[in-house]
Amino acid sequence: MLERAFRSTAGRLIATTALTLLVAGCADTGPAVEPAGAPATGSSPVGGSTQSPTGVPGGTTEPAPGHAPSTSPGVPPSTVRPPSGPPKKPTDNLPSDRIAGRITRGGSGPCYGLVTDDGVEYALYGQNAGTFAAGSHVRVTIAPQLLRISCGSGRPASIVEISPVR
């Protein structure tokens, strides 16, 4: 008889509707309200099955797949707002007194030329800084140049510490 019902369009419509109602009736609609004097949450007087506070059968505290976890009573929901957009200023607070780059004017000093990876050129001054060949890569801690010494083109700076990058 079912076979004949499924062959007709009306039969398929009735079967689909019945199946939809059955699935909708089984869906979790949230925690049930227990009447006064009912046993505490976590046990059920009918059938002896247990539920956890989240409404998941079997007493587990993890929500069932497809179910959002509920908040505990008396605890306000999170007040975290979504971001308003990208930051206006850079958020990486990098030290401005450390630079790295390639030596363009080298030798035994006291003047050196350096170009960073960003293309910024520096004219560095440092007594007893060491000998660095042109083309070598170095990391330098700089300070404002207090003496009026011309070490060539670029931003003038004094060398506090210089070391080769290997």
Side-chain angles (χ1 to χ4, degrees):
M1 178 168 155
L2 283 176
E3 205 171 292
R4 237 183 340 187
F6 279 114
R7 288 184 186 163
S8 69
T9 305
R12 282 190 293 251
L13 181 61
I14 292 171
T16 304
T17 305
L19 184 59
T20 303
L21 291 173
L22 178 66
V23 171
C26 293
D28 185 15
T29 59
V33 178
E34 296 179 3
T41 302
S43 65
S44 172
V46 179
S49 72
T50 60
Q51 286 190 342
S52 71
T54 60
V56 179
T60 63
T61 57
E62 295 180 5
H67 292 275
S70 63
T71 59
S72 301
V75 177
S78 176
T79 57
V80 177
R81 295 183 193 173
S84 62
K88 305 284 187 256
K89 295 187 280 185
T91 57
D92 296 337
N93 295 325
L94 300 174
S96 60
D97 63 341
R98 294 187 199 144
I99 57 173
R102 181 178 48 85
I103 296 288
T104 56
R105 291 184 312 275
S108 59
C111 288
Y112 306 89
L114 180 128
V115 175
T116 65
D117 293 338
D118 298 333
V120 179
E121 186 176 6
Y122 285 88
L124 302 175
Y125 173 78
Q127 290 183 336
N128 302 323
T131 302
F132 295 95
S136 60
H137 292 274
V138 293
R139 185 175 301 131
V140 185
T141 303
I142 60 172
Q145 192 174 27
L146 301 177
L147 302 173
R148 292 207 178 257
I149 298 174
S150 177
C151 283
S153 62
R155 295 181 185 177
S158 293
I159 297 173
V160 174
E161 182 181 354
I162 185 169
S163 60
V165 176
R166 296 170 202 240

